[in-house]
Amino acid sequence: MLGRFDLQESSSLVALDNRRQWIMRLVLLMSLFTLVLMAVGSATRVMDAGLACPDWPLCFGTLVPQKQMNLQVFLEWFHRLLATSLGGMAIAFAGLSIAWRHALPRWLPYAAASALALVVLQGILGGLTVTELLRFEVVTAHLGMGLLFFCLLVSITVGLVPFQGTGTSRWLRLTAAIATVCVYGQSILGGLVSSQWAVHQCLYGDRLCHVLNSHLLGVAPATLSVLAVVTVAWRSPALATVLRQLSFSLLFVIAAQIGLGVATFQLKLQVPPLTVAHQLVGATLLGLLVALTTLAGRDRANSAANGAIAP
């Protein structure tokens, strides 16, 4: 009899763990999907296809335009298709988080509800970008909301990953959080530059140079804060391996981002794939910093919990 109870308890634990694994895979998929969506959105802007579909939410009054289909229309239509698919994933995520709440961390249903709310707001902003004829304030807000949604998904994913820290990441958590804010701010400045075509306006019309210069000056605090994260990780000998690896990977990503930025500026945005890559690598850098900040926070929280339990 006791053996049967043990078997039932073991099966229940396996079921709980499987549900957690499924949720983690879903959120990871949503994170990667969001990166692809942002890349397509960037390509849509670079190719001047933001108003290729003149109406919203349909495109030329249909779900799938055929007679009007060209590269620009396809980019805008495909961007909307991806966004709608991501919205469906967010609804599924919220529903499963509530249905399986007993098998999941307490904070997860609230995080899922926040993700769903951000998707709704993002959809509204997406519609406004069309109805307001690409007003730069709306376009920039659309980018900023998308980055916030991506950061939340990354944080949720990392929060579900099994992790055992060493409790030595106090300063790393602080520097990573500061770097996250700096890189996010630099991304918003980049969004302002792109939404107002400030590079062309400044180079060819001597207008909006202050917008472009603010983004160029923003490279300094963003880069220095990332280098501070790497330095703190290097000077923390007892740091968990995954935290050290994430920190050192920032060097390659920030170098690639600076190189892409210089190339994009020197070529005056004449090579669309470079511009798209610049924005995509920037989002990846932001995601790595969010993951690092979240893991470092868990490292400190685990250390505090173990200290409280210890006699």
Side-chain angles (χ1 to χ4, degrees), residues 213-248:
N213 291 334
S214 66
H215 183 56
L216 296 177
L217 291 174
V219 173
T223 302
L224 291 175
S225 62
V226 170
L227 294 179
V229 173
V230 178
T231 302
V232 169
W234 177 61
R235 294 176 62 87
S236 302
L239 198 65
T241 301
V242 64
L243 290 173
R244 190 180 304 280
Q245 291 173 343
L246 279 175
S247 299
F248 289 166

Side-chain angles (χ1 to χ4, degrees), residues 258-306:
I258 293 174
L260 286 169
V262 171
T264 300
F265 180 76
Q266 291 294 328
L267 295 173
K268 301 178 177 60
L269 304 183
Q270 297 301 314
V271 184
L274 276 181
T275 305
V276 174
H278 182 54
Q279 296 188 3
L280 186 60
V281 172
T284 301
L285 175 63
L286 182 62
L288 286 174
L289 286 168
V290 170
L292 189 58
T293 303
T294 305
L295 271 183
R298 289 183 62 188
D299 182 61
R300 293 296 300 169
N302 291 341
S303 176
N306 292 335

Side-chain angles (χ1 to χ4, degrees), residues 109-250:
Y110 301 100
S114 300
L116 182 57
L118 287 177
V119 164
V120 172
L121 291 174
Q122 184 71 339
I124 294 173
L125 287 171
L128 287 174
T129 59
V130 177
T131 59
E132 295 296 319
L133 304 179
L134 302 181
R135 283 183 57 181
F136 77 90
E137 304 98 323
V138 179
V139 174
T140 305
H142 187 53
L143 171 64
M145 191 69 69
L147 288 173
L148 280 179
F149 177 69
F150 175 63
C151 290
L152 178 59
L153 291 178
V154 171
S155 184
I156 293 172
T157 304
V158 173
L160 291 172
V161 172
F163 172 69
Q164 184 63 47
T166 59
T168 59
S169 61
R170 176 184 177 185
W171 294 110
L172 182 64
R173 178 183 59 174
L174 177 61
T175 52
I178 293 173
T180 299
V181 173
C182 290
V183 171
Y184 180 80
Q186 176 68 347
S187 299
I188 297 301
L189 289 175
L192 284 171
V193 170
S194 63
S195 62
Q196 298 183 80
W197 296 94
V199 174
H200 297 84
Q201 296 271 21
C202 182
L203 295 180
Y204 300 113
D206 198 25
R207 293 178 297 176
L208 297 179
C209 290
H210 65 284
V211 176
L212 175 60
N213 291 334
S214 66
H215 183 56
L216 296 177
L217 291 174
V219 173
T223 302
L224 291 175
S225 62
V226 170
L227 294 179
V229 173
V230 178
T231 302
V232 169
W234 177 61
R235 294 176 62 87
S236 302
L239 198 65
T241 301
V242 64
L243 290 173
R244 190 180 304 280
Q245 291 173 343
L246 279 175
S247 299
F248 289 166
S249 69
L250 295 174

Side-chain angles (χ1 to χ4, degrees), residues 12 15-20 97 99-105 108:
S12 299
L16 294 178
D17 185 65
N18 285 339
R19 291 175 183 178
R20 186 186 181 108
S97 297
W100 294 348
R101 61 186 179 278
H102 298 298
L104 301 170
L108 191 59

